[in-house]
Amino acid sequence: MSGIFSKILRGEIPSHKIAEDDNYFAFLDINPLAKGHTLVIPRKEIDYIFDLEDSLLAGMLVFSKRIATAIEKVVPCKRIGIAVLGLEVPHAHIHLIPINRIDDINFARPKLQLTNEEMADIATKIRQELK
Ligand code: 5GP
């Protein structure tokens, strides 16, 4: 059965796209811990990130690096924290989260409530930095 992130990849579920290439896709997390909270996924639907073949796993981090650099230019922060949980969605993904302190990457914290317009605006600004 096709998972939710594969449906996002195929455009069957809308998302605020940040970037894509032949192997990876990046989009804003729908329940962000911070403005600019982005998910990077491989197009291949594999649940556990450490089941990805080596080259795909390595490339995912390199792809994430470019996105993180763009997020940092849009969202003031000390750095972009990365996290891999996968407890909710069984399609490997890396969380890229602007952080200033350790609590900013605490997934038990309440998520931000952003409007669709705010999300669209952030995504547009990050995409512009990727050009
Ligand atoms: P995890 O599997 O890493 O524990 O959490 C999955 C993440 O995916 C969560 O942060 C959640 O907000 C995000 N997420 C779940 N469903 C959707 C969706 O349909 N669209 C987007 N953009 N993010 C989602």
Side-chain angles (χ1 to χ4, degrees), residues 4-5 8 13-16 27-33 37 39 47 83-95 97 107 111 119:
I4 196 157
F5 286 176
I8 286 176
I13 293 176
S15 71
H16 294 283
F27 55 104
L28 293 183
D29 192 304
I30 202 166
N31 290 311
L33 274 173
H37 181 166
L39 301 175
D47 173 7
V84 176
L85 292 86
L87 294 172
E88 185 188 324
V89 178
H91 184 144
H93 51 281
I94 293 176
H95 294 260
I97 306 170
F107 280 80
K111 307 300 185 295
M119 294 281 275

Side-chain angles (χ1 to χ4, degrees), residues 1 4 16 18 21-22 32 38 50-51 74 78 89 97 99-100 105 109 115 124 131:
M1 211 183 90
I4 196 157
H16 294 283
I18 300 297
D21 70 6
D22 289 347
T38 296
F50 292 132
D51 284 336
V74 174
K78 269 198 182 152
V89 178
I97 306 170
I99 56 171
N100 292 296
I105 201 161
R109 260 188 39 214
T115 64
T124 300
K131 278 181 188 164

